[in-house]
Amino acid sequence: MVCGGFTCSKNALCSLNVVYMLVGLLLIVVAAWGKGFGIVSSIHIIGGVIAVGFFLLLIAIVGLIGAVHHHQVMLFFYMVILFIVFLFQFGVSCSCLAMNQGQQEKLLNSSWGMMNNDTRNSIEKKLDCCGLFNNTQNLGVFMSDLHLCDAPCLKKSPCLTCGEKMLQHSSEALKILGGVGLFFSFTEILGVWLAMRYRNQKDPRANPSAFL
């Protein structure tokens, strides 16, 4: 049995908002995972992804309620805010995909330089690594960090640098966040169009004679 226009639009909009809720949760979880692995707060893009994920989750809930009740005002604000979320999500996703390793290293170096020894030691123990980068530009800092390092890996074998581990996880996180965010940002245009179409349709339950 083929559903009517109003029912199809309602079901499609509800399903789309459930997808948005899942995407919002995924963006928040992956971004939090990235931060949890020592990707320091100087990579502001990851904080931006968490904000986008939160607002996407929030507006999806509003859209779901508006779709179920065919609430004109909620659907109007849903369309406007979802379009704004699309713009931010598209920009943040492109920034995630565009950030190369050199830029990540620069941000990590900048943040590492602002940390005190206790904070560095805490990260080294958490990631089981020593120092940030072992290269000519950071050799003095690296040797100082290595002297103070108390990570468990020192008892087993030569430790990896924290920079290597951070870059590995940051690259994975940025690729996932950028890819997922960019792909689903285009579906938000579909959500705006579908909400506009559904909002302008008459509810047969509210006015049964509308289709007679």
Side-chain angles (χ1 to χ4, degrees):
M1 181 177 178
V2 180
C3 63
F6 179 85
T7 305
C8 282
S9 297
K10 178 180 179 179
N11 292 341
L13 190 58
C14 288
S15 299
L16 205 55
N17 280 295
V18 171
V19 172
Y20 293 158
M21 290 169 67
L22 296 175
V23 172
L25 286 172
L26 179 64
L27 292 176
I28 293 170
V29 169
V30 174
W33 169 80
K35 279 184 170 290
F37 268 103
I39 304 169
V40 287
S41 57
S42 60
I43 302 183
H44 299 296
I45 294 175
I46 292 182
V49 171
I50 293 176
V52 167
F54 174 77
F55 282 110
L56 182 59
L57 179 62
L58 193 64
I59 196 62
I61 295 172
V62 172
L64 190 60
I65 296 171
V68 169
H69 297 286
H70 197 240
H71 196 289
Q72 297 287 316
V73 177
M74 290 183 75
L75 288 171
F76 173 77
F77 282 107
Y78 168 77
M79 291 187 298
V80 173
I81 298 173
L82 185 61
F83 183 73
I84 295 172
V85 170
F86 158 74
L87 295 176
F88 278 99
Q89 186 173 327
F90 182 81
V92 169
S93 299
C94 290
S95 299
C96 286
L97 294 173
M99 180 171 282
N100 57 40
Q101 185 169 320
Q103 292 171 320
Q104 293 177 48
E105 286 184 13
K106 186 176 180 180
L107 289 170
L108 291 173
N109 273 316
S110 174
S111 186
W112 190 265
M114 292 186 289
M115 294 179 185
N116 57 38
N117 290 332
D118 290 338
T119 305
R120 292 180 184 179
N121 285 336
S122 176
I123 291 175
E124 287 170 341
K125 287 179 181 178
K126 183 178 181 180
L127 297 179
D128 197 15
C129 56
C130 284
L132 187 63
F133 294 114
N134 184 12
N135 52 36
T136 52
Q137 292 90 346
N138 304 283
L139 188 59
V141 176
F142 176 76
M143 295 306 295
S144 175
D145 290 335
L146 187 62
H147 178 70
L148 297 172
C149 184
D150 192 29
C153 61
L154 286 172
K155 301 173 183 177
K156 302 173 186 177
S157 60
C159 293
L160 290 173
T161 63
C162 295
E164 292 178 72
K165 290 198 170 186
M166 287 182 184
L167 284 176
Q168 179 187 351
H169 293 297
S170 65
S171 296
E172 290 175 1
L174 290 172
K175 284 178 183 177
I176 294 171
L177 294 171
V180 171
L182 187 62
F183 177 79
F184 283 100
S185 66
F186 292 108
T187 67
E188 288 157 21
I189 295 296
L190 174 63
V192 172
W193 173 82
L194 197 58
M196 187 183 301
R197 180 173 179 269
Y198 175 64
R199 184 173 179 267
N200 292 329
Q201 289 177 324
K202 293 180 180 180
D203 188 348
R205 296 171 304 175
N207 185 12
S209 63
F211 296 98
L212 296 177

